[in-house]
Amino acid sequence: MRIEHLIDCEEHLAAVANWQQAEFGYLNPSVTMEQRRGRLRESLQRDGLPLAIVAISEEGQPVGAASILPKTITHPHLTPWLSTVVVPPEFRGKGLASALSLRAASEAARLGFETLYLFTPRNESLYQRLGWETFERSDHNGLPIAIMSRPTVGAGEPSANMRPSPSFRQTV
């Protein structure tokens, strides 16, 4: 297993867009698939925001993705944001979401950011195990969300009780 920048495996852009729409489309129903693909095309870079990363299996199949965005719909004054961490159901339970989140924090540190933000309607405990702290609770379109932050220093290290599965190998 390895995590790459989307620009290095652009052939997976459509699959990532489909996953994002299926998993997160309810948060902003007005976003079309073409808009989602366009946003991912804007993420085809290594040295700026927005930026997208993809987890790739040993067989070369995409198995998860995440993005780092300069702003989000809840707090546009804070930057950057971990966004759309998505792992299709058939690949869950292997530490991929954790690895993608930690790699995103490492990427944010590499780009010079000291803190990375996120909001989540349902995975607060996962992110807490990875070193994120809830600093606010809010509501987005009637949905309660936790707004969290994490220092990017030491971003590659999960807490002792949250490690990727033994079969996971992250390469840069």
Side-chain angles (χ1 to χ4, degrees), residues 28-46:
N28 194 349
S30 66
V31 174
T32 67
M33 279 302 299
E34 185 52 41
Q35 289 170 318
R36 200 167 288 282
R37 284 188 295 269
R39 289 177 183 175
L40 281 170
R41 281 190 290 277
E42 292 172 2
S43 299
L44 296 175
Q45 58 181 328
R46 288 179 201 83

Side-chain angles (χ1 to χ4, degrees), residues 88-160:
E90 63 269 26
F91 302 114
R92 292 180 185 164
K94 298 178 173 134
L96 293 171
S98 298
L100 285 160
S101 300
L102 293 172
R103 173 63 183 271
S106 293
E107 289 291 323
R110 180 182 65 80
L111 293 173
F113 296 101
E114 295 180 7
T115 304
L116 186 60
Y117 302 92
L118 68 80
F119 76 85
T120 181
R122 57 180 176 237
N123 291 315
E124 186 175 3
S125 63
L126 165 73
Y127 291 112
Q128 286 174 334
R129 289 190 305 269
L130 296 173
W132 298 81
E133 293 185 12
T134 301
F135 67 89
E136 185 177 329
R137 295 195 185 279
S138 189
D139 179 275
H140 174 69
N141 293 336
L143 183 68
I145 58 173
I147 301 165
M148 306 177 82
S149 66
R150 183 192 198 286
T152 60
V153 175
E157 294 300 319
S159 66

